[in-house]
mmCIF file of all heavy atoms in Angstrom:
data_model
loop_
_atom_site.group_PDB
_atom_site.id
_atom_site.type_symbol
_atom_site.label_atom_id
_atom_site.label_comp_id
_atom_site.label_asym_id
_atom_site.label_seq_id
_atom_site.Cartn_x
_atom_site.Cartn_y
_atom_site.Cartn_z
ATOM 1 N N MET A 1 6.730 0.292 -28.135
ATOM 2 C CA MET A 1 5.424 0.931 -28.311
ATOM 3 C C MET A 1 4.759 0.379 -29.562
ATOM 4 O O MET A 1 5.386 0.059 -30.533
ATOM 5 C CB MET A 1 5.612 2.426 -28.474
ATOM 6 C CG MET A 1 6.033 3.200 -27.253
ATOM 7 S SD MET A 1 4.844 3.210 -25.935
ATOM 8 C CE MET A 1 3.493 4.088 -26.654
ATOM 9 N N HIS A 2 3.464 0.355 -29.497
ATOM 10 C CA HIS A 2 2.688 -0.049 -30.642
ATOM 11 C C HIS A 2 2.739 1.085 -31.680
ATOM 12 O O HIS A 2 2.770 2.260 -31.333
ATOM 13 C CB HIS A 2 1.224 -0.290 -30.262
ATOM 14 C CG HIS A 2 1.106 -1.453 -29.353
ATOM 15 N ND1 HIS A 2 0.463 -2.591 -29.737
ATOM 16 C CD2 HIS A 2 1.530 -1.681 -28.086
ATOM 17 C CE1 HIS A 2 0.483 -3.438 -28.737
ATOM 18 N NE2 HIS A 2 1.130 -2.909 -27.734
ATOM 19 N N ALA A 3 2.753 0.744 -32.955
ATOM 20 C CA ALA A 3 2.849 1.744 -34.018
ATOM 21 C C ALA A 3 1.699 2.717 -34.016
ATOM 22 O O ALA A 3 1.838 3.863 -34.388
ATOM 23 C CB ALA A 3 2.935 1.051 -35.369
ATOM 24 N N ASN A 4 0.535 2.275 -33.513
ATOM 25 C CA ASN A 4 -0.626 3.192 -33.546
ATOM 26 C C ASN A 4 -0.816 3.943 -32.246
ATOM 27 O O ASN A 4 -1.802 4.615 -32.085
ATOM 28 C CB ASN A 4 -1.893 2.387 -33.908
ATOM 29 C CG ASN A 4 -2.115 1.214 -32.991
ATOM 30 O OD1 ASN A 4 -1.367 1.004 -32.040
ATOM 31 N ND2 ASN A 4 -3.136 0.437 -33.250
ATOM 32 N N SER A 5 0.076 3.852 -31.313
ATOM 33 C CA SER A 5 -0.003 4.680 -30.112
ATOM 34 C C SER A 5 0.385 6.086 -30.442
ATOM 35 O O SER A 5 1.399 6.308 -31.103
ATOM 36 C CB SER A 5 0.934 4.127 -29.025
ATOM 37 O OG SER A 5 0.546 2.797 -28.661
ATOM 38 N N SER A 6 -0.371 7.034 -29.982
ATOM 39 C CA SER A 6 -0.156 8.425 -30.405
ATOM 40 C C SER A 6 0.712 9.210 -29.451
ATOM 41 O O SER A 6 1.172 10.251 -29.798
ATOM 42 C CB SER A 6 -1.491 9.114 -30.587
ATOM 43 O OG SER A 6 -2.204 9.150 -29.371
ATOM 44 N N TYR A 7 0.913 8.711 -28.227
ATOM 45 C CA TYR A 7 1.676 9.489 -27.248
ATOM 46 C C TYR A 7 2.527 8.533 -26.407
ATOM 47 O O TYR A 7 2.024 7.532 -25.927
ATOM 48 C CB TYR A 7 0.724 10.260 -26.360
ATOM 49 C CG TYR A 7 1.439 10.997 -25.242
ATOM 50 C CD1 TYR A 7 2.163 12.132 -25.513
ATOM 51 C CD2 TYR A 7 1.447 10.519 -23.940
ATOM 52 C CE1 TYR A 7 2.854 12.803 -24.505
ATOM 53 C CE2 TYR A 7 2.127 11.170 -22.943
ATOM 54 C CZ TYR A 7 2.808 12.297 -23.231
ATOM 55 O OH TYR A 7 3.506 12.948 -22.254
ATOM 56 N N THR A 8 3.743 8.889 -26.211
ATOM 57 C CA THR A 8 4.643 8.178 -25.331
ATOM 58 C C THR A 8 4.970 9.086 -24.169
ATOM 59 O O THR A 8 5.519 10.176 -24.385
ATOM 60 C CB THR A 8 5.934 7.765 -26.050
ATOM 61 O OG1 THR A 8 5.592 6.994 -27.195
ATOM 62 C CG2 THR A 8 6.834 6.958 -25.141
ATOM 63 N N PRO A 9 4.692 8.709 -22.933
ATOM 64 C CA PRO A 9 5.003 9.576 -21.812
ATOM 65 C C PRO A 9 6.519 9.685 -21.611
ATOM 66 O O PRO A 9 7.250 8.825 -22.059
ATOM 67 C CB PRO A 9 4.367 8.851 -20.616
ATOM 68 C CG PRO A 9 4.303 7.428 -21.024
ATOM 69 C CD PRO A 9 4.092 7.439 -22.506
ATOM 70 N N ARG A 10 6.916 10.766 -20.981
ATOM 71 C CA ARG A 10 8.346 10.926 -20.695
ATOM 72 C C ARG A 10 8.726 9.864 -19.667
ATOM 73 O O ARG A 10 8.134 9.734 -18.631
ATOM 74 C CB ARG A 10 8.608 12.297 -20.120
ATOM 75 C CG ARG A 10 9.083 13.241 -21.162
ATOM 76 C CD ARG A 10 9.377 14.588 -20.614
ATOM 77 N NE ARG A 10 10.628 14.601 -19.899
ATOM 78 C CZ ARG A 10 10.944 15.502 -19.000
ATOM 79 N NH1 ARG A 10 10.096 16.466 -18.697
ATOM 80 N NH2 ARG A 10 12.089 15.457 -18.375
ATOM 81 N N TYR A 11 9.723 9.105 -20.023
ATOM 82 C CA TYR A 11 10.185 8.014 -19.195
ATOM 83 C C TYR A 11 11.607 8.330 -18.739
ATOM 84 O O TYR A 11 12.514 8.299 -19.553
ATOM 85 C CB TYR A 11 10.099 6.708 -19.983
ATOM 86 C CG TYR A 11 10.842 5.561 -19.360
ATOM 87 C CD1 TYR A 11 10.465 5.059 -18.137
ATOM 88 C CD2 TYR A 11 11.924 4.979 -20.001
ATOM 89 C CE1 TYR A 11 11.103 3.990 -17.569
ATOM 90 C CE2 TYR A 11 12.583 3.902 -19.428
ATOM 91 C CZ TYR A 11 12.152 3.421 -18.193
ATOM 92 O OH TYR A 11 12.817 2.361 -17.624
ATOM 93 N N THR A 12 11.764 8.674 -17.501
ATOM 94 C CA THR A 12 13.080 8.895 -16.958
ATOM 95 C C THR A 12 13.218 8.030 -15.696
ATOM 96 O O THR A 12 12.242 7.701 -15.053
ATOM 97 C CB THR A 12 13.341 10.363 -16.569
ATOM 98 O OG1 THR A 12 12.441 10.719 -15.509
ATOM 99 C CG2 THR A 12 13.129 11.297 -17.763
ATOM 100 N N GLU A 13 14.441 7.693 -15.394
ATOM 101 C CA GLU A 13 14.695 6.920 -14.155
ATOM 102 C C GLU A 13 14.171 7.702 -12.947
ATOM 103 O O GLU A 13 13.612 7.112 -12.026
ATOM 104 C CB GLU A 13 16.152 6.571 -14.023
ATOM 105 C CG GLU A 13 16.572 5.490 -14.972
ATOM 106 C CD GLU A 13 17.973 4.908 -14.690
ATOM 107 O OE1 GLU A 13 18.619 5.377 -13.743
ATOM 108 O OE2 GLU A 13 18.353 3.992 -15.409
ATOM 109 N N ARG A 14 14.377 8.975 -12.925
ATOM 110 C CA ARG A 14 13.939 9.790 -11.817
ATOM 111 C C ARG A 14 12.416 9.693 -11.627
ATOM 112 O O ARG A 14 11.920 9.511 -10.551
ATOM 113 C CB ARG A 14 14.336 11.260 -11.984
ATOM 114 C CG ARG A 14 13.846 12.157 -10.876
ATOM 115 C CD ARG A 14 14.310 13.548 -11.059
ATOM 116 N NE ARG A 14 15.744 13.566 -10.997
ATOM 117 C CZ ARG A 14 16.497 14.638 -11.184
ATOM 118 N NH1 ARG A 14 15.957 15.780 -11.497
ATOM 119 N NH2 ARG A 14 17.793 14.549 -11.102
ATOM 120 N N ARG A 15 11.680 9.843 -12.749
ATOM 121 C CA ARG A 15 10.205 9.776 -12.697
ATOM 122 C C ARG A 15 9.726 8.404 -12.266
ATOM 123 O O ARG A 15 8.824 8.290 -11.443
ATOM 124 C CB ARG A 15 9.664 10.152 -14.094
ATOM 125 C CG ARG A 15 8.167 10.079 -14.182
ATOM 126 C CD ARG A 15 7.563 11.315 -13.518
ATOM 127 N NE ARG A 15 6.139 11.272 -13.728
ATOM 128 C CZ ARG A 15 5.259 11.421 -12.733
ATOM 129 N NH1 ARG A 15 5.653 11.652 -11.539
ATOM 130 N NH2 ARG A 15 3.966 11.374 -12.990
ATOM 131 N N MET A 16 10.290 7.359 -12.830
ATOM 132 C CA MET A 16 9.838 6.014 -12.479
ATOM 133 C C MET A 16 10.192 5.696 -11.019
ATOM 134 O O MET A 16 9.375 5.117 -10.317
ATOM 135 C CB MET A 16 10.465 4.985 -13.421
ATOM 136 C CG MET A 16 10.072 5.120 -14.876
ATOM 137 S SD MET A 16 8.320 5.368 -15.198
ATOM 138 C CE MET A 16 7.590 4.009 -14.374
ATOM 139 N N ALA A 17 11.365 6.058 -10.580
ATOM 140 C CA ALA A 17 11.746 5.830 -9.195
ATOM 141 C C ALA A 17 10.778 6.553 -8.255
ATOM 142 O O ALA A 17 10.348 5.960 -7.255
ATOM 143 C CB ALA A 17 13.156 6.314 -8.959
ATOM 144 N N SER A 18 10.448 7.766 -8.594
ATOM 145 C CA SER A 18 9.494 8.537 -7.757
ATOM 146 C C SER A 18 8.148 7.828 -7.672
ATOM 147 O O SER A 18 7.555 7.696 -6.603
ATOM 148 C CB SER A 18 9.345 9.956 -8.336
ATOM 149 O OG SER A 18 8.360 10.651 -7.647
ATOM 150 N N LEU A 19 7.615 7.387 -8.795
ATOM 151 C CA LEU A 19 6.329 6.683 -8.814
ATOM 152 C C LEU A 19 6.381 5.387 -8.008
ATOM 153 O O LEU A 19 5.380 4.982 -7.417
ATOM 154 C CB LEU A 19 5.901 6.394 -10.231
ATOM 155 C CG LEU A 19 5.431 7.589 -11.052
ATOM 156 C CD1 LEU A 19 5.258 7.216 -12.520
ATOM 157 C CD2 LEU A 19 4.074 8.098 -10.521
ATOM 158 N N LEU A 20 7.536 4.739 -8.033
ATOM 159 C CA LEU A 20 7.695 3.459 -7.310
ATOM 160 C C LEU A 20 8.044 3.642 -5.859
ATOM 161 O O LEU A 20 7.998 2.682 -5.082
ATOM 162 C CB LEU A 20 8.758 2.612 -7.998
ATOM 163 C CG LEU A 20 8.414 2.144 -9.407
ATOM 164 C CD1 LEU A 20 9.649 1.580 -10.108
ATOM 165 C CD2 LEU A 20 7.291 1.109 -9.358
ATOM 166 N N GLY A 21 8.402 4.850 -5.468
ATOM 167 C CA GLY A 21 8.759 5.087 -4.054
ATOM 168 C C GLY A 21 10.118 4.636 -3.663
ATOM 169 O O GLY A 21 10.375 4.305 -2.491
ATOM 170 N N ILE A 22 11.033 4.600 -4.637
ATOM 171 C CA ILE A 22 12.416 4.231 -4.366
ATOM 172 C C ILE A 22 13.369 5.335 -4.925
ATOM 173 O O ILE A 22 12.911 6.187 -5.661
ATOM 174 C CB ILE A 22 12.784 2.850 -4.957
ATOM 175 C CG1 ILE A 22 12.569 2.871 -6.498
ATOM 176 C CG2 ILE A 22 11.952 1.759 -4.309
ATOM 177 C CD1 ILE A 22 12.993 1.571 -7.182
ATOM 178 N N SER A 23 14.613 5.224 -4.597
ATOM 179 C CA SER A 23 15.581 6.211 -5.100
ATOM 180 C C SER A 23 15.935 5.924 -6.571
ATOM 181 O O SER A 23 15.759 4.818 -7.073
ATOM 182 C CB SER A 23 16.856 6.199 -4.247
ATOM 183 O OG SER A 23 17.617 5.045 -4.522
ATOM 184 N N GLU A 24 16.458 6.943 -7.228
ATOM 185 C CA GLU A 24 16.864 6.805 -8.591
ATOM 186 C C GLU A 24 18.001 5.743 -8.709
ATOM 187 O O GLU A 24 18.039 4.964 -9.648
ATOM 188 C CB GLU A 24 17.362 8.155 -9.129
ATOM 189 C CG GLU A 24 17.486 8.261 -10.596
ATOM 190 C CD GLU A 24 17.793 9.661 -11.061
ATOM 191 O OE1 GLU A 24 17.582 10.627 -10.307
ATOM 192 O OE2 GLU A 24 18.241 9.817 -12.184
ATOM 193 N N GLU A 25 18.873 5.735 -7.736
ATOM 194 C CA GLU A 25 19.980 4.778 -7.711
ATOM 195 C C GLU A 25 19.425 3.336 -7.565
ATOM 196 O O GLU A 25 19.889 2.425 -8.256
ATOM 197 C CB GLU A 25 20.929 5.125 -6.581
ATOM 198 C CG GLU A 25 22.239 4.323 -6.586
ATOM 199 C CD GLU A 25 22.101 2.993 -5.814
ATOM 200 O OE1 GLU A 25 21.364 2.957 -4.832
ATOM 201 O OE2 GLU A 25 22.742 2.020 -6.235
ATOM 202 N N GLU A 26 18.439 3.165 -6.693
ATOM 203 C CA GLU A 26 17.855 1.837 -6.531
ATOM 204 C C GLU A 26 17.168 1.396 -7.817
ATOM 205 O O GLU A 26 17.317 0.243 -8.235
ATOM 206 C CB GLU A 26 16.831 1.837 -5.373
ATOM 207 C CG GLU A 26 17.481 1.954 -4.023
ATOM 208 C CD GLU A 26 16.484 2.214 -2.946
ATOM 209 O OE1 GLU A 26 15.500 2.975 -3.126
ATOM 210 O OE2 GLU A 26 16.674 1.633 -1.829
ATOM 211 N N PHE A 27 16.461 2.314 -8.467
ATOM 212 C CA PHE A 27 15.772 1.967 -9.716
ATOM 213 C C PHE A 27 16.817 1.547 -10.785
ATOM 214 O O PHE A 27 16.603 0.601 -11.537
ATOM 215 C CB PHE A 27 14.938 3.108 -10.229
ATOM 216 C CG PHE A 27 14.202 2.781 -11.497
ATOM 217 C CD1 PHE A 27 13.068 1.990 -11.469
ATOM 218 C CD2 PHE A 27 14.642 3.275 -12.696
ATOM 219 C CE1 PHE A 27 12.375 1.660 -12.638
ATOM 220 C CE2 PHE A 27 13.969 2.964 -13.877
ATOM 221 C CZ PHE A 27 12.838 2.162 -13.844
ATOM 222 N N SER A 28 17.921 2.243 -10.827
ATOM 223 C CA SER A 28 18.949 1.923 -11.844
ATOM 224 C C SER A 28 19.551 0.554 -11.647
ATOM 225 O O SER A 28 20.084 -0.027 -12.588
ATOM 226 C CB SER A 28 20.029 3.012 -11.865
ATOM 227 O OG SER A 28 20.829 2.942 -10.696
ATOM 228 N N ARG A 29 19.473 0.001 -10.443
ATOM 229 C CA ARG A 29 20.026 -1.352 -10.168
ATOM 230 C C ARG A 29 19.059 -2.445 -10.564
ATOM 231 O O ARG A 29 19.423 -3.632 -10.579
ATOM 232 C CB ARG A 29 20.363 -1.492 -8.660
ATOM 233 C CG ARG A 29 21.509 -0.638 -8.239
ATOM 234 C CD ARG A 29 22.014 -1.036 -6.849
ATOM 235 N NE ARG A 29 21.012 -1.577 -5.946
ATOM 236 C CZ ARG A 29 20.687 -1.073 -4.783
ATOM 237 N NH1 ARG A 29 21.256 0.046 -4.370
ATOM 238 N NH2 ARG A 29 19.798 -1.643 -4.012
ATOM 239 N N LEU A 30 17.816 -2.101 -10.803
ATOM 240 C CA LEU A 30 16.782 -3.142 -11.099
ATOM 241 C C LEU A 30 16.810 -3.579 -12.561
ATOM 242 O O LEU A 30 16.910 -2.751 -13.455
ATOM 243 C CB LEU A 30 15.400 -2.589 -10.766
ATOM 244 C CG LEU A 30 15.103 -2.362 -9.274
ATOM 245 C CD1 LEU A 30 13.800 -1.611 -9.123
ATOM 246 C CD2 LEU A 30 15.033 -3.722 -8.570
ATOM 247 N N SER A 31 16.685 -4.864 -12.729
ATOM 248 C CA SER A 31 16.508 -5.406 -14.080
ATOM 249 C C SER A 31 15.017 -5.453 -14.355
ATOM 250 O O SER A 31 14.270 -6.015 -13.581
ATOM 251 C CB SER A 31 17.115 -6.816 -14.127
ATOM 252 O OG SER A 31 16.889 -7.407 -15.355
ATOM 253 N N HIS A 32 14.594 -4.838 -15.479
ATOM 254 C CA HIS A 32 13.190 -4.729 -15.790
ATOM 255 C C HIS A 32 12.958 -4.633 -17.293
ATOM 256 O O HIS A 32 13.893 -4.453 -18.084
ATOM 257 C CB HIS A 32 12.562 -3.519 -15.081
ATOM 258 C CG HIS A 32 13.229 -2.217 -15.409
ATOM 259 N ND1 HIS A 32 12.951 -1.490 -16.534
ATOM 260 C CD2 HIS A 32 14.199 -1.536 -14.737
ATOM 261 C CE1 HIS A 32 13.711 -0.419 -16.546
ATOM 262 N NE2 HIS A 32 14.453 -0.424 -15.490
ATOM 263 N N SER A 33 11.682 -4.672 -17.670
ATOM 264 C CA SER A 33 11.293 -4.694 -19.094
ATOM 265 C C SER A 33 11.358 -3.317 -19.724
ATOM 266 O O SER A 33 11.270 -3.188 -20.947
ATOM 267 C CB SER A 33 9.861 -5.204 -19.213
ATOM 268 O OG SER A 33 8.942 -4.319 -18.567
ATOM 269 N N GLY A 34 11.434 -2.268 -18.923
ATOM 270 C CA GLY A 34 11.246 -0.936 -19.436
ATOM 271 C C GLY A 34 9.768 -0.621 -19.480
ATOM 272 O O GLY A 34 8.911 -1.534 -19.286
ATOM 273 N N LEU A 35 9.402 0.578 -19.741
ATOM 274 C CA LEU A 35 8.009 0.975 -19.761
ATOM 275 C C LEU A 35 7.317 0.422 -21.033
ATOM 276 O O LEU A 35 7.799 0.670 -22.137
ATOM 277 C CB LEU A 35 7.879 2.480 -19.701
ATOM 278 C CG LEU A 35 6.502 3.065 -19.523
ATOM 279 C CD1 LEU A 35 5.916 2.642 -18.168
ATOM 280 C CD2 LEU A 35 6.520 4.566 -19.628
ATOM 281 N N ARG A 36 6.239 -0.305 -20.830
ATOM 282 C CA ARG A 36 5.460 -0.906 -21.938
ATOM 283 C C ARG A 36 4.060 -0.388 -21.879
ATOM 284 O O ARG A 36 3.594 0.026 -20.824
ATOM 285 C CB ARG A 36 5.461 -2.427 -21.855
ATOM 286 C CG ARG A 36 6.798 -3.069 -21.697
ATOM 287 C CD ARG A 36 7.559 -3.091 -22.990
ATOM 288 N NE ARG A 36 8.859 -3.715 -22.812
ATOM 289 C CZ ARG A 36 9.387 -4.519 -23.653
ATOM 290 N NH1 ARG A 36 8.782 -4.830 -24.763
ATOM 291 N NH2 ARG A 36 10.587 -5.010 -23.419
ATOM 292 N N ASP A 37 3.352 -0.475 -22.987
ATOM 293 C CA ASP A 37 1.943 -0.038 -22.958
ATOM 294 C C ASP A 37 0.990 -1.172 -23.281
ATOM 295 O O ASP A 37 1.386 -2.188 -23.821
ATOM 296 C CB ASP A 37 1.707 1.135 -23.908
ATOM 297 C CG ASP A 37 1.916 0.788 -25.360
ATOM 298 O OD1 ASP A 37 1.978 -0.414 -25.692
ATOM 299 O OD2 ASP A 37 1.996 1.696 -26.176
ATOM 300 N N LEU A 38 -0.223 -0.987 -22.817
ATOM 301 C CA LEU A 38 -1.346 -1.884 -23.170
ATOM 302 C C LEU A 38 -2.365 -1.039 -23.901
ATOM 303 O O LEU A 38 -2.703 0.039 -23.433
ATOM 304 C CB LEU A 38 -1.979 -2.486 -21.889
ATOM 305 C CG LEU A 38 -1.096 -3.399 -21.091
ATOM 306 C CD1 LEU A 38 -1.768 -3.805 -19.796
ATOM 307 C CD2 LEU A 38 -0.758 -4.650 -21.900
ATOM 308 N N THR A 39 -2.830 -1.547 -25.031
ATOM 309 C CA THR A 39 -3.785 -0.808 -25.839
ATOM 310 C C THR A 39 -5.086 -1.573 -25.996
ATOM 311 O O THR A 39 -5.092 -2.798 -25.933
ATOM 312 C CB THR A 39 -3.209 -0.474 -27.233
ATOM 313 O OG1 THR A 39 -2.899 -1.711 -27.897
ATOM 314 C CG2 THR A 39 -1.975 0.390 -27.135
ATOM 315 N N ASP A 40 -6.156 -0.814 -26.230
ATOM 316 C CA ASP A 40 -7.424 -1.481 -26.514
ATOM 317 C C ASP A 40 -7.500 -1.819 -27.975
ATOM 318 O O ASP A 40 -6.546 -1.624 -28.734
ATOM 319 C CB ASP A 40 -8.614 -0.605 -26.028
ATOM 320 C CG ASP A 40 -8.729 0.712 -26.785
ATOM 321 O OD1 ASP A 40 -8.139 0.872 -27.872
ATOM 322 O OD2 ASP A 40 -9.410 1.608 -26.251
ATOM 323 N N SER A 41 -8.635 -2.331 -28.422
ATOM 324 C CA SER A 41 -8.791 -2.789 -29.797
ATOM 325 C C SER A 41 -8.724 -1.639 -30.799
ATOM 326 O O SER A 41 -8.549 -1.878 -32.001
ATOM 327 C CB SER A 41 -10.104 -3.563 -29.960
ATOM 328 O OG SER A 41 -11.184 -2.744 -29.630
ATOM 329 N N TYR A 42 -8.857 -0.390 -30.340
ATOM 330 C CA TYR A 42 -8.747 0.788 -31.201
ATOM 331 C C TYR A 42 -7.330 1.365 -31.227
ATOM 332 O O TYR A 42 -7.069 2.386 -31.868
ATOM 333 C CB TYR A 42 -9.722 1.862 -30.756
ATOM 334 C CG TYR A 42 -11.157 1.424 -30.897
ATOM 335 C CD1 TYR A 42 -11.886 1.030 -29.747
ATOM 336 C CD2 TYR A 42 -11.795 1.353 -32.140
ATOM 337 C CE1 TYR A 42 -13.195 0.591 -29.871
ATOM 338 C CE2 TYR A 42 -13.105 0.927 -32.243
ATOM 339 C CZ TYR A 42 -13.794 0.549 -31.109
ATOM 340 O OH TYR A 42 -15.099 0.102 -31.193
ATOM 341 N N GLY A 43 -6.439 0.766 -30.452
ATOM 342 C CA GLY A 43 -5.078 1.234 -30.395
ATOM 343 C C GLY A 43 -4.828 2.339 -29.373
ATOM 344 O O GLY A 43 -3.793 2.947 -29.336
ATOM 345 N N VAL A 44 -5.837 2.593 -28.512
ATOM 346 C CA VAL A 44 -5.696 3.627 -27.487
ATOM 347 C C VAL A 44 -5.024 3.012 -26.241
ATOM 348 O O VAL A 44 -5.441 1.974 -25.773
ATOM 349 C CB VAL A 44 -7.098 4.184 -27.112
ATOM 350 C CG1 VAL A 44 -6.969 5.194 -25.982
ATOM 351 C CG2 VAL A 44 -7.741 4.808 -28.322
ATOM 352 N N VAL A 45 -3.980 3.678 -25.795
ATOM 353 C CA VAL A 45 -3.281 3.211 -24.594
ATOM 354 C C VAL A 45 -4.159 3.425 -23.370
ATOM 355 O O VAL A 45 -4.608 4.538 -23.141
ATOM 356 C CB VAL A 45 -1.928 3.938 -24.418
ATOM 357 C CG1 VAL A 45 -1.263 3.536 -23.112
ATOM 358 C CG2 VAL A 45 -1.022 3.676 -25.619
ATOM 359 N N TYR A 46 -4.391 2.374 -22.625
ATOM 360 C CA TYR A 46 -5.177 2.528 -21.385
ATOM 361 C C TYR A 46 -4.369 2.217 -20.144
ATOM 362 O O TYR A 46 -4.830 2.485 -19.034
ATOM 363 C CB TYR A 46 -6.443 1.679 -21.454
ATOM 364 C CG TYR A 46 -6.233 0.176 -21.476
ATOM 365 C CD1 TYR A 46 -6.167 -0.548 -20.300
ATOM 366 C CD2 TYR A 46 -6.070 -0.503 -22.686
ATOM 367 C CE1 TYR A 46 -5.995 -1.924 -20.319
ATOM 368 C CE2 TYR A 46 -5.886 -1.856 -22.692
ATOM 369 C CZ TYR A 46 -5.862 -2.555 -21.527
ATOM 370 O OH TYR A 46 -5.664 -3.921 -21.553
ATOM 371 N N LYS A 47 -3.179 1.663 -20.296
ATOM 372 C CA LYS A 47 -2.369 1.336 -19.139
ATOM 373 C C LYS A 47 -0.922 1.145 -19.575
ATOM 374 O O LYS A 47 -0.647 0.732 -20.707
ATOM 375 C CB LYS A 47 -2.891 0.032 -18.537
ATOM 376 C CG LYS A 47 -2.419 -0.254 -17.128
ATOM 377 C CD LYS A 47 -2.988 -1.558 -16.605
ATOM 378 C CE LYS A 47 -4.472 -1.539 -16.444
ATOM 379 N NZ LYS A 47 -4.996 -2.773 -15.810
#
């Protein structure tokens, strides 16, 4: 996370799997970057 980001969403395997439409077990098998943020020039997370 960027130092100037004010909020980090709850990141759980269950939540991410649900958003992706796969099971928690399937998500746990995937190699990935982890949840990252994109910020604008003011440091506000937009994605």
Side-chain angles (χ1 to χ4, degrees):
M1 290 294 296
H2 294 246
N4 55 3
S5 297
S6 61
Y7 175 75
T8 303
R10 262 182 75 202
Y11 168 63
T12 64
E13 287 192 358
R14 177 178 297 176
R15 178 76 175 130
M16 298 313 306
S18 174
L19 286 170
L20 294 167
I22 60 176
S23 72
E24 196 172 343
E25 189 272 328
E26 289 170 321
F27 182 76
S28 71
R29 292 193 330 240
L30 291 171
S31 176
H32 57 82
S33 65
L35 189 63
R36 308 284 179 140
D37 65 15
L38 294 174
T39 59
D40 63 18
S41 60
Y42 297 102
V44 176
V45 175
Y46 66 91
K47 197 181 293 186

